[in-house]
Amino acid sequence: MFHCQRSSYDKEYESTVVSCTPASRKKEQNGKKVDVKGFEVIFEDTVFFPEGGGQNTDLGVVGEDNQVLEVTRRGDLAVHFLTGALEPGQKVSQKINWDRRFDNMQQHSGQHLVSAILEKDYNINTMSWWMAESSPSKVGVSYIEVDKPITAEVMTLVEDKCNESIRDSIPVTVSLFQRGDPELEEAHTRGLPDDFTGPIRLIRIGNLDNNLCCGTHVANLAHLQAVKLMYTENKKGKQLLYFLVGSRVLKYLSQTVTRERLLTDTLRNGPDAHVDLVDKMQKTLKVSTKTNSNLLKEIALSEAKEKKLLEPKPSYAYFYRREGDNDYISVLTKELTDYLLIVIVGEGTSGQLVISGQGEVVVNLGKKLCELLEGKGGGKGSRFNAKISSFKSLSKVEETIQSFIAPTS
């Protein structure tokens, strides 16, 4: 058992380095998974909670500025992934990111409370749960997987009961037991890990719940502040209940108010009218889109007709239209089946390239134009399709087409 499990409210601790080994981990940076080099460090004890039991890892610093990027459990050891090396035998200070730890504690204890009331009052059992990560721009909304659908009425009743329990300041206690102790027979558990060793922690929430758990928890339900049940979702056959606890409720409310005010300024009407206004705008947009699509079809028919009237028949037909869409492309390909047809639509960093015709020239020209327009795509036979990400060299397209097909003309 780690120091963080014995004293969940401790923010700092001193411990001795047992081992330090160079390592690398896949970490997310700017939305992408990249290899990060660092060091796996094991201490005699730790204030950092290793990810487990549904709870996210603690973060923080060791010493002056050695960043703790992740903590995982390996048997009865907590493995700390650090940015810098430490000497075995060295005694160092450990300092957790307290805001993150307390937020994790609120979400975890809140999940225990919600699950307990669902089971006790409505016979709805928890199958698993997932703690969402929050970021400066987005509040993480966690979920509980349950064994049956939850009605809106039950959601309201459970939420009310949770917040009533918070107002009652019910204590949350941690007790330790050895395997086989009769006290554990009444406790809820989804099983212990195969490599688990040592005493078993039992988390009690007054008379509401007894649950085996390795995580860090608040000492009193009053520390949860509030519970908000957000919505339910049936995802791939699983019944999910989304929820927020504590500071996440306030942060979510703050972000919602900010969005509401921005919408009010944009729509020039009060929040009560936002849904109706957006609905009207969507209907108007749908009509406009349909009208625009019909006009583009007529333009495509006209352009195709003009091309057919040319004498002698040109060796290719090239069209670029910034506002073109799939219907525009379809009309051209249908009308000009006897031509080597090149159609480009879009602008900026988003567009489409379609080439149709006969022979290897279709695919080969497609690859050449993809190089020019930073496109990605492919094809075989009589059709080539690609997505375009740059229009900087659009003016060179026709020149490229001419130089490419000249030898075969």
Side-chain angles (χ1 to χ4, degrees):
M1 182 174 296
F2 308 118
H3 181 82
C4 58
Q5 295 171 306
R6 297 191 298 271
S7 302
S8 296
Y9 283 79
D10 281 1
K11 303 172 185 178
E12 297 184 40
Y13 187 68
E14 275 197 351
S15 188
T16 302
V17 178
V18 174
S19 65
C20 178
T21 308
S24 65
R25 299 278 178 92
K26 288 279 188 183
K27 304 295 293 180
E28 189 169 305
Q29 291 183 358
N30 300 320
K32 295 182 179 180
K33 290 281 188 179
V34 297
D35 280 318
V36 176
K37 295 186 182 300
F39 299 86
E40 287 187 349
V41 178
I42 296 172
F43 298 97
E44 288 184 354
D45 204 347
T46 183
V47 74
F48 292 98
F49 178 77
E51 181 176 356
Q55 183 172 323
N56 295 332
T57 176
D58 278 339
L59 302 177
V61 295
V62 172
E64 290 297 322
D65 59 0
N66 198 339
Q67 297 294 315
V68 180
L69 303 180
E70 184 181 78
V71 187
T72 54
R73 189 179 66 85
R74 191 176 295 162
D76 59 353
L77 301 175
V79 181
H80 307 68
F81 184 61
L82 308 185
T83 55
L86 295 172
E87 287 294 326
Q90 179 183 1
K91 194 167 188 177
V92 295
S93 62
Q94 303 170 340
K95 185 176 181 179
I96 62 170
N97 178 331
W98 172 248
D99 288 344
R100 178 184 174 88
R101 157 69 73 78
F102 189 62
D103 171 64
N104 286 349
M105 288 164 61
Q106 286 184 321
Q107 307 316 306
H108 200 163
S109 297
Q111 176 267 315
H112 277 227
L113 175 61
V114 174
S115 292
I117 293 172
L118 282 170
E119 181 178 347
K120 192 171 184 179
D121 293 355
Y122 302 98
N123 196 32
I124 298 174
N125 299 304
T126 292
M127 310 303 292
S128 66
W129 83 291
W130 172 75
M131 182 188 292
E133 286 277 9
S134 283
S135 68
S137 61
K138 185 178 180 180
V139 177
V141 182
S142 306
Y143 67 70
I144 300 169
E145 181 192 350
V146 293
D147 64 349
K148 57 178 68 73
I150 301 175
T151 65
E153 180 184 6
V154 168
M155 272 184 63
T156 300
L157 293 171
V158 171
E159 182 180 294
D160 289 345
K161 181 70 174 289
C162 286
N163 288 300
E164 179 186 345
S165 301
I166 290 171
R167 291 192 296 273
D168 289 341
S169 300
I170 296 174
V172 179
T173 59
V174 180
S175 302
L176 303 180
F177 297 94
Q178 298 299 322
R179 287 179 184 267
D181 194 301
E183 284 281 342
L184 300 177
E185 293 178 6
E186 299 299 320
H188 295 95
T189 179
R190 290 190 294 275
L192 296 170
D194 293 336
D195 59 355
F196 180 84
T197 60
I200 297 171
R201 298 170 79 239
L202 179 65
I203 312 300
R204 283 194 176 94
I205 304 177
N207 296 320
L208 291 173
D209 188 45
N210 292 330
N211 211 311
L212 304 189
C213 184
C214 66
T216 57
H217 289 273
V218 299
N220 192 291
L221 289 188
H223 296 181
L224 298 184
Q225 299 173 280
V227 168
K228 178 61 186 173
L229 303 186
M230 304 290 285
Y231 57 93
T232 59
E233 179 184 35
N234 185 328
K235 191 172 184 180
K236 297 181 179 179
K238 295 181 178 181
Q239 302 293 330
L240 307 180
L241 170 63
Y242 290 84
F243 70 97
L244 296 170
V245 185
S247 60
R248 293 197 190 190
V249 177
L250 297 176
K251 290 175 182 176
Y252 193 92
L253 177 60
S254 178
Q255 290 186 359
T256 301
V257 170
T258 299
R259 282 193 295 268
E260 184 181 272
R261 289 178 64 84
L262 290 171
L263 278 171
T264 297
D265 290 342
T266 301
L267 299 174
R268 298 185 180 280
N269 217 322
D272 292 344
H274 285 176
V275 174
D276 287 338
L277 284 169
V278 172
D279 184 55
K280 290 177 182 177
M281 291 170 66
Q282 286 180 322
K283 289 176 180 176
T284 301
L285 178 61
K286 187 176 181 180
V287 172
S288 298
T289 301
K290 183 66 175 177
T291 301
N292 185 64
S293 181
N294 288 334
L295 288 172
L296 284 169
K297 287 180 184 178
E298 291 181 14
I299 291 171
L301 283 169
S302 176
E303 290 177 336
K305 183 177 180 181
E306 288 182 10
K307 188 67 68 175
K308 289 177 182 178
L309 292 174
L310 293 177
E311 291 291 346
K313 178 183 176 181
S315 57
Y316 67 92
Y318 165 57
F319 300 91
Y320 166 68
R321 185 159 293 277
R322 182 183 61 190
E323 68 279 13
D325 60 8
N326 286 331
D327 286 336
Y328 172 79
I329 295 171
S330 295
V331 170
L332 288 174
T333 53
K334 182 179 178 181
E335 293 294 320
L336 299 172
T337 54
D338 294 335
Y339 290 75
L340 173 61
L341 175 67
I342 303 97
V343 185
I344 297 174
V345 298
E347 62 180 334
T349 59
S350 177
Q352 188 176 356
L353 164 68
V354 173
I355 303 176
S356 65
Q358 301 298 322
E360 295 180 357
V361 66
V362 173
V363 174
N364 293 336
L365 178 58
K367 292 178 179 178
K368 191 73 175 178
L369 292 179
C370 277
E371 292 176 8
L372 185 69
L373 303 172
E374 298 180 20
K376 288 185 178 181
K380 58 182 179 180
S382 63
R383 181 126 174 166
F384 183 94
N385 294 281
K387 289 184 178 180
I388 298 168
S389 60
S390 175
F391 283 77
K392 293 178 181 179
S393 301
L394 183 66
S395 61
K396 300 178 181 178
V397 168
E398 190 145 22
E399 178 186 340
T400 302
I401 296 171
Q402 291 171 350
S403 64
F404 191 85
I405 67 174
T408 61
S409 297

